[in-house]
């Protein structure tokens, strides 16, 4: 029976030394349906935005040959070049990154770009950075609308946008089909613990606007590199509520940290999450 969901693998769960063919094949062999490409703040990843036409065509060909497409993009490059930056050059670069990321998504067949939910990261947030972020966000959404590419805010680890409810403030303000929320279950779990609220209630504030979900393990105060099963995230509840709200695209987010048994880690993550997803009603 055909599954009624797709489960993707975050690219950074695999060694960075692998070729794209090796990454796609590893994801396929572990049972994943697609891969989420990372465009982070490093020069190496940002350089992907300037891939030649030939390189883009080669990657599309590899997707067809391996049977594993790249269907979502984690665009965290705005951490270094935020849309709300007080430095005009940084802001300009941030908008350029946005434009090029949308074009790359168009060319590769990526459906969803996950946006980093903060006005600035390394600098203090001010009323001016917040206002600038809002204005540039609207410009970015118009770019996405022109291309027909959906964007979704990641719920982050910082106060600015660590809940679905906070992300929805911007979604409602912009009011476009092309701006939604792509929540990180681990991050909103940490936020719920901090605020004494409920994950399920926060997710429901995004009803009708949740495009996908990151399945990530966390512990209070820590947001990265927590192995599945060792944290406090209730994946059963989070997935069930997301499913009820119409989410059918999920990505396991975890990191390769040098473990020689990383292929077993991929299979374990896929097995854990697929088991929960398979229990959801049709």
């Amino acid at each position: 029976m055909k599954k009624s969901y797709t489960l993707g693998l975050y690219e950074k769960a695999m060694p960075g030394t692998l070729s794209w063919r090796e990454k796609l094949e590893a994801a396929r062999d572990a049972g994943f349906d697609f891969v989420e490409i990372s465009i982070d703040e490093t020069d190496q990843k940002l350089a992907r935005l300037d891939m030649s036409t030939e390189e883009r065509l080669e990657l599309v060909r590899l997707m067809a040959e391996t049977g594993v497409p790249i269907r979502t993009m984690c665009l965290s490059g705005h951490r270094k070049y935020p849309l709300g930056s007080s430095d005009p050059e940084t802001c300009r670069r941030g908008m350029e990154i946005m434009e090029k990321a949308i074009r790359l998504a168009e060319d590769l067949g990526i459906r969803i770009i996950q946006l980093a939910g903060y006005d600035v990261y390394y600098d203090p947030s001010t009323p001016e950075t917040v206002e600038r972020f809002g204005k540039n966000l609207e410009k970015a959404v118009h770019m996405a609308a022109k291309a027909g590419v959906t964007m979704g805010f990641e719920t982050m680890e910082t106060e600015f946008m660590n809940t679905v409810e906070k992300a929805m403030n911007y979604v409602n303000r912009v009011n476009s089909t092309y701006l939604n929320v792509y929540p990180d279950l681990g991050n909103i779990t940490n936020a719920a613990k901090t605020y004494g609220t409920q994950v399920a209630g926060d997710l429901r504030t995004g009803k009708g606007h949740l495009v996908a979900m990151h399945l990530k393990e966390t512990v209070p105060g820590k947001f990265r590199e927590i192995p599945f099963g060792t944290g406090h995230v209730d994946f059963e509840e989070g997935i069930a509520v997301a499913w009820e709200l119409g989410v059918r695209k999920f990505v396991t987010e975890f990191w390769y940290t040098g473990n020689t048994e990383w292929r077993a880690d991929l299979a374990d993550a896929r097995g854990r999450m697929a088991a929960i997803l398979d229990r959801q009603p049709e």
Side-chain angles (χ1 to χ4, degrees):
M1 186 174 67
K2 193 165 185 177
K3 296 181 304 181
S4 50
Y5 64 87
T6 53
L7 181 59
L9 176 65
Y10 183 50
E11 180 193 347
K12 289 185 179 179
M14 298 174 280
T17 53
L18 299 183
S19 67
W20 267 118
R21 177 181 289 280
E22 290 168 328
K23 287 178 180 176
L24 297 176
E25 288 176 344
R28 179 195 64 200
D29 294 346
F32 288 98
D33 302 304
F34 67 96
V35 166
E36 178 164 279
I37 189 173
S38 166
I39 305 292
D40 64 21
E41 63 189 293
T42 64
D43 291 340
Q44 178 193 28
K45 294 287 201 304
L46 288 173
R48 291 173 167 179
L49 299 177
D50 295 310
M51 286 166 55
S52 67
T53 299
E54 291 72 24
E55 289 171 315
R56 294 171 193 230
L57 287 169
E58 172 64 12
L59 190 44
V60 170
R61 188 181 65 79
L62 284 174
M63 293 185 220
E65 285 186 7
T66 59
V68 179
I70 297 169
R71 285 295 175 259
T72 56
M73 175 193 295
C74 181
L75 180 60
S76 54
H78 285 132
R79 180 180 293 206
K80 186 175 180 181
Y81 301 101
L83 300 184
S85 176
S86 300
D87 176 49
E89 178 55 27
T90 299
C91 233
R92 185 203 63 77
R93 177 67 171 131
M95 292 304 290
E96 179 185 58
I97 286 168
M98 189 75 258
E99 187 173 8
K100 288 182 175 182
I102 290 169
R103 194 175 307 138
L104 183 63
E106 273 192 287
D107 289 349
L108 298 184
I110 290 168
R111 305 297 196 263
I112 301 167
I113 295 175
Q114 185 183 50
L115 279 180
Y118 30 63
D119 55 337
V120 288
Y121 187 80
Y122 294 113
D123 298 317
S125 179
T126 67
E128 290 74 27
T129 62
V130 171
E131 182 182 4
R132 195 174 298 109
F133 171 77
K135 287 180 178 177
N136 284 329
L137 175 66
E138 289 203 28
K139 294 177 185 175
V141 173
H142 291 153
M143 291 179 197
K146 177 183 174 184
V149 173
T150 298
M151 300 196 297
F153 275 125
E154 180 177 10
T155 49
M156 309 305 295
E157 71 281 14
T158 55
E159 281 286 318
F160 183 73
M161 197 181 291
N162 55 355
T163 66
V164 173
E165 186 174 16
K166 289 179 182 180
M168 283 301 299
N169 288 333
Y170 282 93
V171 170
N172 289 329
R173 186 186 308 178
V174 175
N175 195 25
S176 167
T177 301
Y178 294 96
L179 181 66
N180 294 281
V181 188
Y182 182 160
D184 182 305
L185 185 56
N187 291 354
I188 63 172
T189 297
N190 276 4
K193 297 290 184 185
T194 298
Y195 301 141
T197 55
Q198 299 298 316
V199 168
D202 186 44
L203 282 171
R204 289 194 174 99
T205 66
K207 185 176 181 179
H209 293 281
L210 304 182
V211 292
M213 176 181 270
H214 261 180
L215 302 173
K216 185 181 76 177
E217 187 69 275
T218 55
V219 295
K222 293 188 177 179
F223 297 84
R224 293 170 63 95
E225 299 177 4
I226 308 298
F228 285 117
T230 67
H232 67 156
V233 177
D234 187 340
F235 292 102
E236 288 277 358
E237 180 195 51
I239 288 173
V241 174
W243 191 273
E244 169 200 323
L245 295 170
V247 178
R248 294 296 182 272
K249 187 172 284 293
F250 299 82
V251 172
T252 55
E253 186 184 26
F254 57 107
W255 286 263
Y256 167 74
T257 56
N259 181 12
T260 55
E261 300 300 313
W262 61 270
R263 290 181 187 275
D265 291 341
L266 302 192
D268 175 73
R270 191 265 171 192
R272 285 174 184 267
M273 299 307 155
I276 300 172
L277 287 162
D278 288 340
R279 290 196 288 272
Q280 304 310 308
E282 286 296 323

